[in-house]
Amino acid sequence: MTSWNLAGLRTGQPLSHYSTYEIGGEARFVGKPQSQDQLQELLEMAYRSGITPIFFGGGSNMLFPDRPDPDAMFLTTREMTEIKLEGDRLYVSAGMSMSMLAVIGYGLGIADFDFTFLLPGTVGGGIYMNAKYFDRHISDNLVQVHYIDVQAPGRIQTVSREACDFGYKKSVFQANRSSWLIVGAEFKLTSSAQAAVLPTLPELVALQEGKQPPIRLTEFASHFIQWLEGKEEAGGVSSTLAPMRRIIQDRMGKMHFSYPSCGSVFKNNYSVGEPIGKLADQLHLRGVQRGNARISPVHGNVIQNVGGATAADVVDLIRHVQDAFDRHYGFVPEPEVVIIEGKTSSLHQ
C-alpha cells in the first residue's frame, strides 16, 4: 500500500490538522485531490485495494476518531476550488470555502452570499448540510449540484435544486451519504451583478496558487476579518460590507472562534419551541467539562476543545447532554456534527 504514487495522496497525516476541532489521530491515508480526475484516480485505487474512502470538506462539521481505521482513506475535497462565471450562473467546486463566496459576491457587486461570511465549511459540506445563518440557506440561490456516485465512479451526475429535498439542515445527500459525493454546484446570481466576468481578486489568485484560508478557527476568523477591514479602509461599499460587519459582531460575541469547535453540535428541535442552546441553559449545562472538552460558557449548543481534547471527551459530553435532555424534556437531541468512528464503513460528506 505504501508504494502508491498518486497525486494528492498523503500518508501518516494527523487528522487534527484537517479539522476545526483540532481533534483526530494519525490517518494511514489522506487524499487531497485538486481536480475531479485526481479524485477519480484516488477512488478507483481505494476500491481496488479494499480501502474505505471517508469523505469530508473543510472538517468544520466533523469529529475525527482518536484512532483512525488503518483501512480507510480520509479524502478531502478542500483543494478542489475551481470557479467559473457564465452569464448569471456561478459554478463553484465543492472545496471552495463558503466564506469565499461572500468575498466573490462582493467582487461581483451582489449580496447573494453575504450570509456565508465567516462560515468555516466548504461549499460541498454546506450543501450536504444545507448550511444556514439566521433565515438564509446556501440552497436559496442554488440551481443544481454535481456529484459522483461512488458505487459507480467515472461519471459526474447532476441533480436539480428541486430534487435535493432541502430542509432544515437536511438534503438528499444525507440520505445517500453512503454513495453520493458532491464535487461542485451552480448558483443563479441576482440581476444586479455588476461584472460579466470574474473580477481579478487577490483572494482568487491566492486560491489558484494553492493558498487556502486557514482551517484553525482563530486564524480563519482573523483572515476574513482583516479582508473586511481592508475593504472598509479602502472605502468599500458600506451597504454590502455592513451585513458582514454584523456577522463579525454576532459570532465574536458568542466566542465562535475563541476555541476549536464545530459550531453547533445539535440540530434544533423546533417542535419544542426553543433552540437547543436555550434549553441547555435551563439545565445549567454551560461550562460543563469532560476531559479537555467543555460546553461553551456563552452558548449551550457549542462544545469547545479547550486544549488537547480527544474525540472521546467530546462524545462523552454529547451523551451527557442527550441524557439530560431525555430526562428533563423527553427527547434526545440529534447531533449535526458527523462523528467518525475508529472502525467504520460509512461514507460522509
Side-chain angles (χ1 to χ4, degrees):
M1 301 303 298
T2 55
S3 62
W4 285 9
N5 185 23
L6 293 177
L9 181 67
R10 304 289 185 271
T11 58
Q13 296 280 297
L15 290 175
S16 57
H17 293 177
Y18 295 88
S19 165
T20 60
Y21 246 136
E22 298 182 29
I23 291 174
E26 183 175 291
R28 188 181 179 193
F29 301 110
V30 171
K32 301 172 63 177
Q34 295 181 342
S35 66
Q36 291 181 8
D37 287 343
Q38 288 184 9
L39 173 61
Q40 296 278 20
E41 290 175 358
L42 288 167
L43 281 175
E44 290 167 6
M45 180 61 77
Y47 282 115
R48 285 201 301 267
S49 305
I51 297 295
T52 301
I54 298 176
F55 301 101
F56 66 101
S60 64
N61 207 36
M62 309 286 288
L63 180 62
F64 290 126
D66 300 316
R67 297 179 180 83
D69 186 345
D71 293 322
M73 178 192 296
F74 292 82
L75 203 159
T76 175
T77 58
R78 190 170 182 266
E79 296 195 9
M80 296 174 61
T81 57
E82 182 184 5
I83 181 168
K84 294 182 292 187
L85 178 64
E86 295 184 0
D88 64 352
R89 300 291 180 92
L90 183 73
Y91 171 84
V92 182
S93 290
M96 180 71 71
S97 164
M98 282 190 285
S99 291
M100 276 299 301
L101 284 180
V103 172
I104 294 165
Y106 181 81
L108 291 170
I110 57 176
D112 298 40
F113 306 114
D114 55 11
F115 74 99
T116 68
F117 190 66
L118 289 191
L119 288 179
T122 59
V123 169
I127 293 170
Y128 174 87
M129 185 55 68
N130 194 18
K132 67 185 292 288
Y133 185 75
F134 288 117
D135 61 347
R136 302 275 300 279
H137 294 78
I138 197 166
S139 60
D140 290 348
N141 292 354
L142 197 62
V143 176
Q144 57 189 14
V145 182
H146 307 288
Y147 68 95
I148 292 175
D149 185 339
V150 298
Q151 294 180 351
R155 177 167 160 257
I156 304 298
Q157 303 190 48
T158 301
V159 59
S160 68
R161 179 193 184 281
E162 292 74 20
C164 284
D165 194 24
F166 286 119
Y168 168 66
K169 297 190 177 179
K170 172 179 173 290
S171 75
V172 70
F173 301 99
Q174 295 173 28
N176 292 277
R177 68 184 187 185
S178 63
S179 56
W180 290 11
L181 169 64
I182 297 169
V183 295
E186 292 178 30
F187 297 90
K188 180 177 173 59
L189 305 181
T190 61
S191 58
S192 61
Q194 298 172 3
V197 295
L198 282 171
T200 307
L201 299 174
E203 295 79 13
L204 291 181
V205 173
L207 280 179
Q208 293 169 356
E209 295 174 348
K211 299 175 183 176
Q212 297 280 352
I215 292 177
R216 181 171 290 178
L217 286 179
T218 53
E219 297 172 4
F220 166 85
S222 177
H223 175 84
F224 284 101
I225 290 171
Q226 287 178 13
W227 171 84
L228 178 65
E229 291 174 344
K231 295 299 180 186
E232 291 174 333
E233 290 174 1
V237 182
S238 59
S239 61
T240 306
L241 296 174
M244 301 182 199
R245 174 56 63 183
R246 288 194 291 271
I247 288 172
I248 293 174
Q249 294 167 349
D250 174 60
R251 304 200 71 180
M252 297 302 283
K254 294 175 181 176
M255 294 175 62
H256 281 190
F257 306 108
S258 299
Y259 293 91
S261 79
C262 72
S264 295
V265 173
F266 299 102
K267 297 180 181 180
N268 287 320
N269 183 342
Y270 288 109
S271 66
V272 300
E274 292 282 359
I276 292 295
K278 288 188 176 181
L279 293 173
D281 291 348
Q282 294 171 23
L283 299 180
H284 307 290
L285 291 173
R286 288 190 191 183
V288 173
Q289 190 161 333
R290 294 290 185 273
N292 289 314
R294 177 184 70 181
I295 298 175
S296 169
V298 299
H299 197 302
N301 195 15
V302 174
I303 294 177
Q304 302 168 327
N305 174 3
V306 296
T310 64
D313 293 337
V314 176
V315 169
D316 195 6
L317 263 186
I318 287 173
R319 290 174 177 163
H320 176 75
V321 173
Q322 289 177 319
D323 290 344
F325 271 58
D326 193 22
R327 289 194 307 270
H328 292 272
Y329 299 125
F331 78 95
V332 176
E334 178 187 355
E336 66 173 86
V337 58
V338 178
I339 302 171
I340 304 297
E341 303 293 339
K343 292 283 186 178
T344 180
S345 59
S346 298
L347 302 176
H348 299 278
Q349 181 67 37

